[in-house]
C-alpha cells in the first residue's frame, strides 16, 4: 500500500473520533469574503511597520526558545483589558495562547476530560463541542429561546440539574449575535457547580459590560476568554487570551505545551497592541455598518437577528444551502452555519456590504 492509498478508516483512530467532521469554514477565493467574522480593515501602515521592526529585532534570537510564560505580552494584555473594563488586572490574571481556540482547549484539558462534562447553549460557537470531543469531555447541549437569546432562568435551572464541570456562555453569541445581559450572568454563575467560561471573542463590538467585572466575585469559577482575531484585526497573528484568578493560570500551566507562543508571535502581538487605539477605531465604523446592513436586510424582506457583534444571522431561506451557493455565484462568500432557513454574514467595508446587499436581491429565498 502506498501512503496515498491509506484511508482514514484504515488508521487506528480513537473510536470516539470516528465519523466526526473537522471545523471547516470554506476558504474560497471569492471577491467578497464575509464568512469568518474577521475585521475587514487591514492593519494601518504604522502597525505593519512596527510589527516588521519588532520581528526583525527578535529574529536575531531565533536560536533560543521564547519566554515560556510570555510575561511582557501578558502585562500588555492586562493593561489593555484593565483599560477596556475598568477592572485592575496584572499579568497574573492573564494567559495567552495561539488564538482563543487554544485557550479554550487548554481550559478543557485542565478542567474537563474523561468522565467530565461541558455544557453550551446552542446554537453557539461550533468549536466548543469540537474541543470538548478532542479532550474527551462529554458535551451537554442546552437550548436557547426561539429568538436565539438565552432564557437565563431556564439556563440556570438546566445547569443546576446537569451539574456540568464547565459551562460555556458565548457573549455576544456566535453565530446569532446577541449578548447575555450583564445582570443575568450571575444567575448562571450561582447555578454552576464548576467553571464558567464566558467567551467574549466579540466583546469590543458590544455595549454590554464585560464579565471580567465579575472575576473578583467568582474567582474559583469564572474565566473570560478573548481574542485579537476580531476587533483587533489580528486573526492571522493567532493570539487569544483569558482573564481569571491567578490560580486558574497555575492550572493551565499544567497542560500548556512549553514555549507554545513563538518569539515571533509574542513580538508581533505586542507591537499590534501598541496600535490598539488605531485598530479599535474600526469598531465604531463596523457597528454603524452593522445597523445599516440590518436595516437594509429588513427593507429587502429578510429577518435579521439583532446583533451586538460584527456579524448578522438572517433569514428566512427555503433552502439556506442553495442560497449560500447563489451568494458565492454572485461573488460573495458568507456562512451557512447549519441553522435551518438562516445564513450569517460578517460585516465588511461599506463596499463589501453593498456587494452583499446587491447579491441579497438576486438569491433565491
Ligand atoms: N470564540 C468565538 C465565539 C469565535 O467566534 C471564535 C472565532 N470564530 C473564537 C472563539 C476563536 O477565535 P481565535 O482562535 O481566532 O481567537
Amino acid at each position: 500500500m502506498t501512503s496515498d492509498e491509506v484511508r482514514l478508516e484504515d488508521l487506528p483512530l480513537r473510536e470516539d473520533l470516528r465519523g466526526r467532521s473537522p471545523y471547516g469554514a470554506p476558504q474560497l477565493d471569492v471577491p467578497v469574503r464575509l464568512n469568518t467574522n474577521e475585521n475587514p480593515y487591514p492593519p494601518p501602515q504604522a502597525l505593519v511597520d512596527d510589527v516588521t521592526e519588532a520581528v526583525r529585532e527578535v529574529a536575531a534570537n531565533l536560536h533560543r526558545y521564547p519566554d515560556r510564560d510570555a510575561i511582557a505580552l501578558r502585562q500588555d494584555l492586562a493593561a489593555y483589558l484593565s483599560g477596556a473594563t475598568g477592572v485592575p488586572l496584572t499579568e497574573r490574571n492573564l494567559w495567552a495562547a495561539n488564538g482563543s481556540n487554544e485557550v479554550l482547549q487548554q481550559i478543557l484539558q485542565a478542567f474537563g476530560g474523561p468522565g467530565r462534562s461541558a455544557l453550551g447553549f446552542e446554537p453557539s460557537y461550533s468549536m466548543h463541542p469540537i474541543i470538548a470531543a478532542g479532550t474527551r469531555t462529554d458535551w451537554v447541549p442546552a437550548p436557547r429561546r426561539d429568538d436565539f437569546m438565552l432564557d437565563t432562568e431556564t439556563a440556570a435551572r438546566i445547569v443546576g440539574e446537569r451539574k456540568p464541570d464547565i459551562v460555556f456562555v458565548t457573549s455576544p453569541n456566535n453565530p446569532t449575535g446577541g449578548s447575555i445581559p450583564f445582570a443575568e450572568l450571575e444567575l448562571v454563575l450561582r447555578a454552576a457547580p464548576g467553571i464558567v467560561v464566558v467567551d467574549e471573542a466579540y466583546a469590543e463590538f458590544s455595549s454590554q459590560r464585560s464579565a471580567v467585572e465579575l472575576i473578583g466575585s467568582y474567582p474559583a469559577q469564572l474565566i473570560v476568554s478573548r481574542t485579537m482575531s476580531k476587533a483587533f484585526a489580528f486573526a492571522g497573528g493567532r493570539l487569544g487570551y483569558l482573564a481569571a484568578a491567578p490560580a486558574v493560570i497555575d492550572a493551565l500551566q499544567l497542560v500548556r505545551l512549553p514555549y507554545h507562543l513563538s518569539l515571533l508571535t509574542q513580538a508581533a502581538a505586542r507591537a499590534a497592541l501598541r496600535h490598539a487605539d488605531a485598530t479599535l477605531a474600526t469598531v465604531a465604523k463596523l457597528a454603524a455598518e452593522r445597523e445599516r446592513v440590518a436595516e437594509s436586510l429588513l427593507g429587502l424582506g429578510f429577518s435579521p437577528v439583532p446583533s451586538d457583534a460584527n456579524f448578522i444571522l438572517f433569514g428566512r431561506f427555503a433552502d439556506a444551502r442553495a442560497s449560500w451557493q447563489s451568494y458565492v455565484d454572485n461573488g460573495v462568500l458568507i456562512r451557512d452555519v447549519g441553522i435551518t432557513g438562516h445564513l450569517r454574514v460578517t460585516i465588511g467595508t461599506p463596499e463589501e456590504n453593498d456587494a452583499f446587499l446587491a447579491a441579497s436581491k438576486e438569491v433565491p429565498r
Side-chain angles (χ1 to χ4, degrees):
M1 215 189 273
T2 69
S3 64
D4 279 348
E5 284 164 352
V6 179
R7 294 162 310 152
L8 181 55
E9 301 79 66
D10 301 325
L11 300 177
L13 184 68
R14 269 164 42 187
E15 285 303 330
D16 58 302
L17 292 181
R18 284 186 192 274
R20 288 190 179 264
S21 307
Y23 175 87
Q27 292 195 298
L28 302 179
D29 195 9
V30 169
V32 178
R33 284 184 292 168
L34 302 173
N35 73 325
T36 42
N37 298 345
E38 294 140 323
N39 189 325
Y41 293 102
Q45 191 57 44
L47 186 159
V48 174
D49 292 343
D50 207 3
V51 167
T52 308
E53 186 49 36
V55 169
R56 247 186 85 80
E57 273 170 28
V58 298
N61 288 321
L62 279 171
H63 59 311
R64 298 292 186 192
Y65 283 115
D67 175 8
R68 209 170 39 218
D69 295 326
I71 296 291
L73 172 59
R74 284 162 58 198
Q75 283 168 342
D76 293 352
L77 289 166
Y80 162 68
L81 199 55
S82 295
T85 63
V87 179
L89 299 163
T90 74
E91 76 282 0
R92 295 177 65 237
N93 302 106
L94 268 287
W95 180 247
N98 295 282
S100 51
N101 283 327
E102 188 180 21
V103 169
L104 298 175
Q105 175 166 282
Q106 292 171 338
I107 293 170
L108 266 71
Q109 285 176 320
F111 299 106
R116 293 194 168 204
S117 62
L119 178 149
F121 303 97
E122 299 190 336
S124 189
Y125 181 40
S126 62
M127 278 306 295
H128 294 160
I130 293 177
I131 295 172
T135 56
R136 297 193 60 182
T137 309
D138 286 335
W139 181 250
V140 183
R144 288 177 171 269
R145 293 195 320 224
D146 287 348
D147 66 357
F148 303 117
M149 292 301 286
L150 203 57
D151 178 340
T152 321
E153 275 177 25
T154 308
R157 182 174 50 72
I158 296 173
V159 167
E161 283 166 10
R162 300 298 299 264
K163 300 186 174 39
D165 298 281
I166 298 163
V167 177
F168 283 104
V169 178
T170 315
S171 187
N173 187 49
N174 177 16
T176 58
S179 297
I180 183 172
F182 180 78
E184 294 182 22
L185 192 54
E186 284 199 81
L187 286 181
V188 179
L189 278 156
R190 278 195 226 117
I195 298 288
V196 175
V197 179
V198 181
D199 184 338
E200 290 193 349
Y202 302 95
E204 283 88 355
F205 297 104
S206 163
S207 47
Q208 283 290 331
R209 285 160 68 183
S210 168
V212 168
E213 292 185 39
L214 293 172
I215 291 172
S217 308
Y218 298 88
Q221 281 193 281
L222 180 57
I223 303 177
V224 184
S225 78
R226 292 238 178 168
T227 182
M228 290 180 66
S229 296
K230 312 298 178 181
F232 271 101
F234 198 68
R238 309 303 301 128
L239 203 288
Y241 57 101
L242 63 73
V248 170
I249 285 115
D250 293 342
L252 299 178
Q253 298 269 14
L254 301 173
V255 297
R256 61 104 173 90
L257 296 174
Y259 319 110
H260 66 295
L261 279 176
S262 84
L263 201 62
L264 304 175
T265 302
Q266 294 186 38
R270 294 192 67 203
L273 276 168
R274 288 197 283 275
H275 297 265
D277 289 349
T279 327
L280 295 177
T282 59
V283 167
K285 278 197 251 185
L286 291 167
E289 276 295 287
R290 174 185 70 210
E291 299 314 312
R292 178 177 79 90
V293 170
E295 271 168 40
S296 303
L297 282 171
L298 264 180
L300 292 173
F302 289 101
S303 306
V305 177
S307 171
D308 220 9
N310 66 334
F311 53 82
I312 299 174
L313 185 73
F314 66 107
R316 293 213 50 119
F317 298 99
D319 180 349
R321 187 75 204 166
S323 303
W324 175 85
Q325 184 59 53
S326 175
Y327 274 107
V328 174
D329 297 342
N330 281 281
V332 180
L333 180 60
I334 60 172
R335 190 80 183 273
D336 177 4
V337 287
I339 300 178
T340 309
H342 291 76
L343 294 170
R344 188 196 71 192
V345 62
T346 303
I347 302 303
T349 62
E351 299 72 35
E352 289 171 328
N353 299 331
D354 285 344
F356 159 72
L357 290 168
S360 300
K361 295 181 186 149
E362 309 297 326
V363 299
R365 306 263 185 109

